[in-house]
Amino acid sequence: MRLDEGIAQIQEKISAVSASAEMKIVKMSDEEARISVYAPAGEMNSIQDATLMPTIELLNNEGLDIQVFVYEKEL
């Protein structure tokens, strides 16, 4: 799997639990990326819960290190 495919998978998980989340992607290498997520405070835990296992699975199974950082977005 390519990094872009892994990022897309995680973005889908985030969008499924928070339609209003804004995401910024930074690719550090061919195998590593950071997704900064800006979301309402009430949705932050849901995003973290939805992305924890998928990111671990991508790391273990595909060698892709996709880190998700969730920040509170002011409304």
Side-chain angles (χ1 to χ4, degrees):
M1 174 182 294
R2 294 181 14 246
L3 181 61
D4 288 336
E5 295 169 324
I7 291 170
Q9 278 187 5
I10 301 303
Q11 286 181 297
E12 287 176 22
K13 302 283 185 194
I14 294 167
S15 295
V17 296
S18 177
S20 64
E22 297 175 15
M23 294 173 254
K24 293 184 182 177
I25 313 300
V26 176
K27 296 178 189 176
M28 276 80 88
S29 70
D30 289 341
E31 298 89 25
E32 185 179 0
R34 178 180 67 231
I35 303 175
S36 297
V37 183
Y38 301 89
E43 297 175 355
M44 292 174 66
N45 286 336
S46 296
I47 293 168
Q48 291 170 335
D49 292 344
T51 58
L52 178 63
M53 287 311 297
T55 56
I56 291 172
E57 289 169 2
L58 284 172
L59 182 60
N60 290 337
N61 299 334
E62 303 291 337
L64 299 176
D65 185 7
I66 301 175
Q67 302 169 21
V68 178
F69 296 94
V70 184
Y71 303 98
E72 184 178 350
K73 175 175 73 172
E74 296 290 327
L75 297 177

